[in-house]
Amino acid sequence: MSQQLLSRALVSINWLSEALKTRKPGPALCVLDASFYYPPIRDGRKEYEEKHIPGALYFDIDECKDQTSRYEVMIPSESYFAKYVGNLGINNDTHVVIYDADQVGVYYAARAWWMFRVFGHSKVSVLNGGFRNWVMKGLPVTSEVVKPKPESFRAVLNPALVKTFEDIQRNMNTKEFQLVDSRPEGRYKGTEPEPGEVIFPGHIPGSSNLPFTSFLTEEGFEKSPDEMKQLFQEKGIDLKKPLTITCRRGVTACQLALASFILGKEDTAVYDGSWFEWFHRAKPEDRVTLWNDGK
């Protein structure tokens, strides 16, 4: 894909590089590094402080969440999100471009992209190829951390993009929407452990499996729209019908929400609590797993 502005939701490395030459990061254009803190796998904030795109600010998914929830990264309140992103110098007219430093290319950036959309901000894009490919192109990086001037941001929750535990429970009987799990096949089937081994692997009854990595090339770029469309079709997923994505904690699910958005489906929802919440709250008979948790 050679276009500069690949879609409203996806911008190329060349596009961002040129944009940063003509526009200083600020209220008009804000670049966010959403690399996640997930020990022992990675420390996103430390990586950001060591090396990032010049002018980029750090978006901490583990901080911008509901701090009162027992589940992993549930979305915060409107007021919390508004204050958090406002302190990053973002207002309602800012074009936000998000990336992360994961080797797959796009991992946590899609979650941050989805959160902005959940709170009513449409001027948000993901950097295709991520920081991995920015570095491979030999583009500038820095350890300098800029201090943004706070802006006013108004957040308005779009509940249609977020599904709750109760929504998933009801859907088991009503089949109001298709439910797709974006985790690797082994974790979905229950044959491979969940990271951290805090919960057992498995899936929600009635969900199908389409791993988020299927949408990425080996080089870390998003596949073409035609390839994305084929991936959904091969799994029998109808993009003309209601669709909800789940995963472990509502992060990689956002990659499929991004893919469907690129294909023109802008109403794909994410089950925010995902398998982590479902594992703790659902009845044993409502969990498909090969592991015996004694419940």
Side-chain angles (χ1 to χ4, degrees):
M1 299 175 71
S2 60
Q3 302 100 315
Q4 296 297 298
L5 187 62
L6 303 174
S7 77
R8 282 188 296 149
L10 204 64
V11 298
S12 73
I13 289 171
N14 289 340
W15 182 93
L16 181 59
S17 177
E18 290 301 314
L20 290 176
K21 291 177 182 177
T22 57
R23 289 185 283 176
K24 291 183 178 180
L29 174 65
C30 181
V31 182
L32 299 179
D33 183 329
S35 301
F36 196 44
Y37 176 71
Y38 194 44
I41 299 172
R42 73 182 320 123
D43 185 338
R45 183 180 290 276
K46 183 174 182 290
E47 293 177 11
Y48 162 79
E49 291 172 349
E50 292 174 349
K51 186 168 59 177
H52 56 265
I53 294 174
L57 302 170
Y58 186 64
F59 184 94
D60 192 338
I61 293 173
D62 200 43
E63 186 177 309
C64 189
K65 68 177 184 180
D66 180 356
Q67 300 290 340
T68 66
S69 176
R70 61 177 292 200
Y71 307 114
E72 292 190 318
V73 285
M74 305 288 275
I75 58 170
S77 65
E78 291 174 333
S79 60
Y80 188 102
F81 186 83
K83 182 178 180 180
Y84 185 86
V85 302
N87 285 338
L88 291 174
I90 297 170
N91 61 41
N92 293 95
D93 293 320
T94 303
H95 182 188
V96 181
V97 177
I98 309 170
Y99 72 89
D100 64 72
D102 197 274
Q103 282 303 300
V104 300
V106 177
Y107 198 117
Y108 305 104
R111 168 73 185 191
W113 168 84
W114 174 77
M115 289 175 69
F116 273 94
R117 291 196 60 245
V118 162
F119 288 107
H121 193 68
S122 59
K123 297 177 69 173
V124 57
S125 309
V126 169
L127 180 63
N128 193 27
F131 191 60
R132 164 190 172 185
N133 284 286
W134 179 276
V135 172
M136 287 184 67
K137 278 182 170 284
L139 293 168
V141 298
T142 185
S143 60
E144 180 183 357
V145 177
V146 298
K147 186 175 178 61
K149 179 183 178 182
E151 292 279 334
S152 177
F153 184 92
R154 181 172 178 265
V156 180
L157 177 69
N158 181 355
L161 298 180
V162 187
K163 294 299 183 184
T164 65
F165 175 82
E166 291 75 19
D167 292 330
I168 306 300
Q169 266 192 324
R170 183 174 62 254
N171 190 65
M172 291 177 66
N173 295 320
T174 62
K175 309 297 182 186
E176 297 169 24
F177 50 82
Q178 304 162 97
L179 184 63
V180 180
D181 193 312
S182 66
R183 289 173 300 156
E185 184 180 36
R187 288 164 56 191
Y188 167 83
K189 288 185 174 180
T191 57
E192 297 176 7
E194 284 289 318
E197 300 182 358
V198 177
I199 58 175
F200 295 121
H203 63 270
I204 301 168
S207 63
S208 58
N209 181 222
L210 182 50
F212 82 100
T213 51
S214 303
F215 292 87
L216 298 168
T217 67
E218 290 184 5
E219 294 77 24
F221 294 97
E222 297 288 335
K223 289 184 177 179
S224 70
D226 286 343
E227 289 173 306
M228 290 182 181
K229 188 178 298 183
Q230 185 176 355
L231 286 167
F232 283 114
Q233 289 175 343
E234 288 175 349
K235 289 290 183 176
I237 300 163
D238 189 344
L239 294 181
K240 295 180 181 179
K241 296 180 179 179
L243 175 63
T244 297
I245 315 297
T246 182
C247 56
R248 174 197 167 98
R249 60 186 188 278
V251 173
T252 65
C254 299
Q255 173 68 56
L256 271 67
L258 173 64
S260 63
F261 186 95
I262 291 169
L263 294 175
K265 185 173 180 58
E266 302 185 7
D267 60 352
T268 297
V270 169
Y271 172 26
D272 199 25
S274 284
W275 178 246
F276 190 86
E277 180 185 35
W278 190 261
F279 178 83
H280 287 291
R281 295 185 64 185
K283 298 176 182 178
E285 58 267 28
D286 289 337
R287 293 177 297 183
V288 180
T289 179
L290 302 177
W291 299 57
N292 180 10
D293 59 9
K295 293 182 181 180

